[in-house]
Amino acid sequence: MILKEGSCVIRSATIKDAMILNQWWNDGKVMEHAGFPNGLGQSLQDTIDEIERNKEKVSELCILEIDGIKVGELSFRFQKEQEGKVEIGIKICDADYQEQGYGTKFLSMLIQYLFWKEALQKEFFVKEIVLNTNPKNKRARHVYEKLGFRCLSVTEKSWQDQLGRWQGSVEYGLTREGYENRKDSRNK
């Protein structure tokens, strides 16, 4: 998979990306919001194995690039048990590229792909995109809500991070209609 818009590229991760993914996944600052303030502590081989596993038809691990520089990752997984749903995740891992609108840009590109890519729709008709984040991740929540995602549920104590601290979870959903309505209301 490869999506391009201006200087932004979303492409399937390859073994050549294992080093940077391993670096990001083992960086506590990058992974803290996901409950790993000490990083994953994952070997390079485990990262390579993860890239290989994500070549299944039901999931995709992607690299985010800006002007040829790897700045983050995103993933999506079609929910076998919930037909029409796809779960996504995104991280702008390079702090120099955060808070500049790139998260919104990359998510918009992915949403367009998931809802309207004809070949994809023939195999997996996407009705709803879902994701979750930590309630404390205000920057991500702002982006999701700006794109039309609606809050489906909030759980105060849903899991413990590496340090044993309780963390919450906010689940968001976006339907085709919700995204289209958001776009239509912005054009008025």
Side-chain angles (χ1 to χ4, degrees):
M1 173 185 130
I2 187 160
L3 305 173
K4 295 179 184 179
E5 194 170 308
S7 62
C8 296
V9 173
I10 300 172
R11 63 169 178 78
S12 298
T14 68
I15 300 302
K16 292 178 183 178
D17 301 309
M19 289 289 285
I20 191 72
L21 286 167
N22 191 254
Q23 177 185 332
W24 290 335
W25 294 349
N26 287 320
D27 184 333
K29 288 182 183 176
V30 173
M31 297 300 293
E32 184 170 21
H33 78 282
F36 299 94
N38 298 328
L40 293 181
Q42 182 166 298
S43 72
L44 181 58
Q45 185 58 53
D46 287 342
T47 301
I48 291 169
D49 293 345
E50 183 75 20
I51 292 168
E52 288 296 321
R53 272 192 302 278
N54 274 285
K55 290 184 179 178
E56 310 166 10
K57 280 194 171 223
V58 297
S59 68
E60 185 85 33
L61 175 62
C62 299
I63 295 293
L64 306 175
E65 293 180 348
I66 300 169
D67 293 321
I69 298 168
K70 298 172 188 176
V71 300
E73 63 165 303
L74 70 74
S75 62
F76 57 91
R77 176 176 299 279
F78 296 97
Q79 302 295 305
K80 292 178 185 177
E81 64 281 351
Q82 296 178 326
E83 190 174 323
K85 282 194 179 187
V86 61
E87 183 176 4
I88 66 171
I90 184 171
K91 282 196 288 298
I92 304 294
C93 301
D94 185 327
D96 293 341
Y97 291 88
Q98 293 174 349
E99 297 189 35
Q100 295 183 38
Y102 290 117
T104 302
K105 177 74 165 176
F106 285 121
L107 279 171
S108 295
M109 291 168 64
L110 179 64
I111 290 166
Q112 292 288 328
Y113 172 78
L114 292 172
F115 280 148
W116 289 284
K117 178 70 174 175
E118 190 174 325
L120 180 69
Q121 290 305 309
K122 288 179 181 176
E123 192 168 354
F124 300 103
F125 185 75
V126 177
K127 297 176 189 172
E128 185 175 21
I129 299 170
V130 295
L131 57 83
N132 65 60
T133 191
N134 192 307
K136 297 175 194 171
N137 194 345
K138 294 186 188 308
R139 187 173 64 215
R141 293 182 69 187
H142 171 75
V143 169
Y144 304 148
E145 292 167 8
K146 180 170 66 170
L147 287 169
F149 282 86
R150 69 187 192 299
C151 181
L152 302 175
S153 67
V154 178
T155 307
E156 292 297 319
K157 291 183 176 181
S158 59
W159 54 282
Q160 288 182 298
D161 69 13
Q162 280 178 319
L163 305 177
R165 300 177 296 202
W166 280 101
Q167 300 292 325
S169 180
V170 180
E171 184 176 352
Y172 283 97
L174 177 66
T175 61
R176 283 172 187 269
E177 296 78 22
Y179 188 67
E180 282 297 307
N181 289 343
R182 179 202 65 80
K183 285 174 49 180
D184 289 344
S185 69
R186 291 178 64 190
N187 293 332
K188 290 179 183 177

